[in-house]
Amino acid sequence: MTGTPNHPVVQTGEGVTRQVLADHPEMMVVAFRFSAEGAIGALHDHPHVQSTYVESGRFEFTLGDTTRVVGPGDSFVIPSGQTHGCVCLAPGTLIDSFTPRRDDFL
């Protein structure tokens, strides 16, 4: 088992960082921290199934052809291959789980 002390904080964009919180070959938990309104989680897709939990802040999320605003306590699942991304409306943290693990984050 690995946890936060073993994984560095990585800058992924202006006002956005990523830190692996825990990982296993079959699953990974990652914190994405957005420090500024307007910070962007760029549109992308990947083969992993992703679950996102909004720990704090507000975000405008695009999931495929749908856009919605999410806030603290909201959660949702992003299917494998679905294009998604977000714009930060109020600084906060997203907790994402991926299955299988995102080896590109290690």
Side-chain angles (χ1 to χ4, degrees):
M1 173 173 44
T2 60
T4 303
N6 299 319
H7 297 288
V9 174
V10 176
Q11 189 82 30
T12 61
E14 189 172 332
V16 185
T17 63
R18 172 185 79 220
Q19 184 176 29
V20 173
L21 302 178
D23 74 285
H24 177 275
E26 296 175 16
M27 178 179 235
M28 175 178 270
V29 180
V30 181
F32 284 89
R33 297 179 181 99
F34 291 75
S35 62
E37 184 178 324
I40 295 173
L43 285 173
H44 66 287
D45 62 70
H46 44 73
H48 311 82
V49 174
Q50 175 179 335
S51 172
T52 296
Y53 171 75
V54 183
E55 180 179 82
S56 59
R58 291 188 62 74
F59 301 87
E60 182 179 81
F61 251 92
T62 298
L63 303 167
D65 295 331
T66 303
T67 299
R68 64 180 175 156
V69 174
V70 296
D74 288 336
S75 62
F76 49 93
V77 172
I78 302 168
S80 173
Q82 184 173 54
T83 300
H84 59 283
C86 68
V87 176
C88 178
L89 302 177
T93 301
L94 301 174
I95 304 296
D96 290 347
S97 296
F98 299 93
T99 184
R101 172 178 65 200
R102 294 279 308 253
D103 289 336
D104 56 323
F105 286 2
L106 296 176

